[in-house]
Amino acid sequence: MVLFGFGGGFLFAIPLKVCYTEKHKFSTFIASLRQKENAMAFNKYIRNAGDLVTSHEQTRAGFLKIALEKNRLGDPYIKNSLAFKSMVSGATCPEALLSIPEVRPFLLSASGLSDKSLNYLDESDQTKAIEELIKNFLKPAGKHFIDETIYRYLLIKGDAVGGSMRNRIGALGQERLIRCILSCMAVQNISYQWAENISGKFPWYDQTDNDLDIERRMKALCWQTAAGKKRLLAFNMNISTVRKNVDICLFDSDAVGFRNGKIAFEPDKALMMGELKGGIDPAGADEHWKTANTALERIRTTFASAGHPVQTSFVGAAIETAMAEEIYSQLQAGVMTNAANLTNDNQLVAYCNWLLNL
């Protein structure tokens, strides 16, 4: 009789004279069980590559959220336009707008000039730009010249919103991750301190009852694990070992050790480095994964070379089938330690709880 042990104390026995075919079947069965046990080690909600793939419903919800955010960012420009319309209501012709100094900044924007460009233009250059706007667009609009001015202003500012949205999409992903971490902390009654990002300075605050929207301003988070270890999680840090920006950085440190971001120069404090991709567009998913995968490989290589190997992880909103298979393969092989689909609540909660207990 041969005894086979399996994780958790299970014991299996088969006769020595069992046929080779049965032995092979049994070995396959054990390998399958071990594979499932390994899968549980990184995220119990990822049982196969398909679990990582972003569904159509999740993609749809992501696009709707982006649309709402775009409207939120654009709303101030709508309000500006309404104020402008009220302030120039007495103007009878386009040229009359030049005699209202209060609306000159609005007219400069409608002319297509950015705030940066104004630093290189004197008053006469700026006036000429407004005169060209009047000549080419406002006069041909006739009595609707005020509305035409507003349309031109909104057209120019729409481009600015587009630029802001490219930054906000990444920020939305980070904010979702932070909020999930805070929620997991609240459920477990884990107290924390957090650092705010204020123009390169990072003041620390104790936890408060009202944490509304602090994920929009947070740079770092510090807590104590159940095992009594201090942990510090920071976002978008330029890590000296990698010489690149890293999205998710977990350190063995307290809040004092953050030292206004200088902890990025202490590789021996690093525990886990992760990449976060918050874009929801499936068309860019593979390219984002290639970028993230290259970054994670660089992290593993450089930290190992420095004598301080770290764990790595990936969190993404748009995960397609091919990249899901690559991610799952790395998780199974132990190349990557953990992963989660940002749009999957169960996976994200499991990932956050893993972070909190590292």
Side-chain angles (χ1 to χ4, degrees):
M1 188 73 70
V2 178
L3 299 177
F4 288 82
F6 185 62
F10 295 103
L11 204 60
F12 297 87
I14 60 172
L16 280 172
K17 295 183 179 180
V18 71
C19 69
Y20 173 80
T21 302
E22 292 303 316
K23 281 185 180 179
H24 179 69
K25 288 181 179 178
F26 185 77
S27 297
T28 302
F29 169 69
I30 293 297
S32 174
L33 287 178
R34 288 194 184 280
Q35 187 181 63
K36 290 179 179 179
E37 183 182 52
N38 288 337
M40 290 287 286
F42 46 80
N43 195 314
K44 67 180 181 179
Y45 294 104
I46 302 175
R47 301 292 187 134
N48 53 63
D51 289 339
L52 281 162
V53 177
T54 306
S55 69
H56 174 77
E57 291 73 19
Q58 291 164 336
T59 301
R60 175 178 172 275
F63 274 123
L64 288 174
K65 185 172 183 178
I66 290 172
L68 289 173
E69 183 67 11
K70 191 178 292 185
N71 275 304
R72 188 186 72 82
L73 291 177
D75 189 62
Y77 299 122
I78 301 295
K79 299 295 193 297
N80 294 349
S81 298
L82 293 175
F84 168 80
K85 190 169 188 176
S86 176
M87 293 171 71
V88 300
S89 59
T92 57
C93 65
E95 290 82 1
L97 297 176
L98 278 171
S99 63
I100 309 175
E102 294 85 358
V103 301
R104 185 178 177 86
F106 190 96
L107 293 174
L108 288 171
S109 292
S111 301
L113 297 178
S114 65
D115 293 338
K116 184 181 292 186
S117 69
L118 296 180
N119 296 324
Y120 300 91
L121 302 174
D122 57 27
E123 286 293 316
S124 62
D125 293 328
Q126 294 175 18
T127 300
K128 184 174 178 57
I130 296 174
E131 289 173 344
E132 288 295 316
L133 170 71
I134 292 172
K135 174 185 174 182
N136 296 318
F137 301 105
L138 303 192
K139 291 186 73 173
K143 64 179 181 179
H144 302 294
F145 68 92
I146 293 177
D147 288 339
E148 183 67 23
T149 307
I150 290 173
Y151 299 153
R152 296 287 161 181
Y153 172 83
L154 293 177
L155 181 64
I156 299 302
K157 292 303 182 182
D159 186 58
V161 169
S164 298
M165 275 306 301
R166 284 188 285 274
N167 295 326
R168 280 298 296 153
I169 287 172
L172 286 171
Q174 179 177 302
E175 290 166 13
R176 176 169 169 74
L177 174 62
I178 293 174
R179 177 47 59 185
C180 187
I181 292 171
L182 294 177
S183 296
C184 289
M185 284 179 153
V187 169
Q188 300 171 68
N189 196 29
I190 299 174
S191 59
Y192 64 86
Q193 294 174 287
W194 68 283
E196 186 174 9
N197 188 353
I198 306 177
S199 301
K201 295 183 179 180
F202 312 106
W204 282 87
Y205 307 100
D206 291 327
Q207 178 181 356
T208 61
D209 292 333
N210 183 13
D211 64 358
L212 181 65
D213 285 342
I214 66 171
E215 64 267 29
R216 291 177 178 266
R217 315 190 305 277
M218 185 180 292
K219 179 65 177 182
L221 184 68
C222 184
W223 71 95
Q224 182 172 294
T225 69
K229 298 177 181 179
K230 290 289 186 179
R231 292 292 181 258
L232 189 148
L233 183 66
F235 304 95
N236 292 315
M237 298 284 286
N238 195 326
I239 304 299
S240 63
T241 307
V242 187
R243 296 183 180 179
K244 294 285 183 180
N245 193 72
V246 179
D247 299 325
I248 308 168
C249 311
L250 182 68
F251 299 97
D252 178 16
S253 176
D254 57 12
V256 175
F258 185 66
R259 296 188 302 120
N260 218 37
K262 292 180 181 177
I263 196 170
F265 295 89
E266 300 181 65
D268 57 310
K269 297 287 183 68
L271 296 175
M272 193 284 301
M273 299 280 129
E275 284 291 301
L276 172 64
K277 297 298 180 184
I280 195 65
D281 190 351
D286 286 338
E287 195 61 37
H288 287 159
W289 163 241
K290 288 177 183 176
T291 303
N293 192 31
T294 299
L296 291 171
E297 183 56 36
R298 185 189 302 114
I299 289 168
R300 287 188 286 266
T301 301
T302 54
F303 270 94
S305 298
H308 302 288
V310 295
Q311 300 184 57
T312 55
S313 65
F314 175 76
V315 179
I319 301 181
E320 294 294 285
T321 302
M323 61 184 285
E325 291 173 354
E326 288 186 43
I327 294 168
Y328 189 69
S329 176
Q330 289 192 23
L331 290 171
Q332 285 185 306
V335 175
M336 189 192 302
T337 318
N338 210 337
N341 188 309
L342 189 64
T343 67
N344 185 306
D345 290 339
N346 288 333
Q347 289 182 24
L348 194 59
V349 168
Y351 177 86
C352 292
N353 281 325
W354 169 75
L355 275 180
L356 293 174
N357 289 286
L358 274 179

